[in-house]
């Protein structure tokens, strides 16, 4: 029985939230679990898969990341 002030938490998990713009089309997605490991491996090789189609990708440097966070209002 939970008492007032008691909290119940789910198991922690790691995931990535993605904000994507390809050919002027914007969407968002997230990846976790075994798929996260596969995605990170692909991204480190410069490959991003969306809908089964491969796209080139690159990691942003700190300045580019800060600019993107500002544009998205998540700073």
């Amino acid at each position: 029985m939970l008492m007032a002030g008691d909290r119940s938490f789910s198991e922690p998990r790691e995931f990535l939230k993605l904000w994507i713009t390809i050919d002027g089309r914007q969407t968002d997605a997230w990846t976790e679990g075994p798929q996260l490991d596969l995605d990170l491996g692909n991204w480190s090789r410069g490959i991003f898969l969306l809908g089964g189609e491969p796209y080139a990708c690159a990691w942003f440097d700190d300045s580019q990341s800060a600019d993107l966070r500002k544009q998205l209002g998540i700073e």
Side-chain angles (χ1 to χ4, degrees):
M1 170 189 278
L2 291 177
M3 304 295 287
D6 287 348
R7 294 182 180 201
S8 176
F9 297 96
S10 61
E11 289 293 316
R13 68 180 200 237
E14 292 183 323
F15 67 96
L16 287 177
K17 174 78 175 187
L18 308 168
W19 287 274
I20 306 161
T21 301
I22 296 177
D23 299 330
R25 184 176 51 124
Q26 295 181 340
T27 189
D28 65 341
W30 55 280
T31 182
E32 68 173 339
Q35 186 62 46
L36 175 58
D37 293 333
L38 293 171
D39 287 339
L40 287 171
N42 283 333
W43 300 340
S44 68
R45 291 187 300 280
I47 301 166
F48 179 78
L49 296 173
L50 179 65
E53 293 293 321
Y55 294 87
C57 66
W59 293 102
F60 282 179
D61 63 25
D62 290 343
S63 176
Q64 292 168 314
S65 292
D67 288 344
L68 182 60
R69 286 193 307 274
K70 189 174 182 179
Q71 289 175 30
L72 295 171
I74 57 173
E75 189 156 279

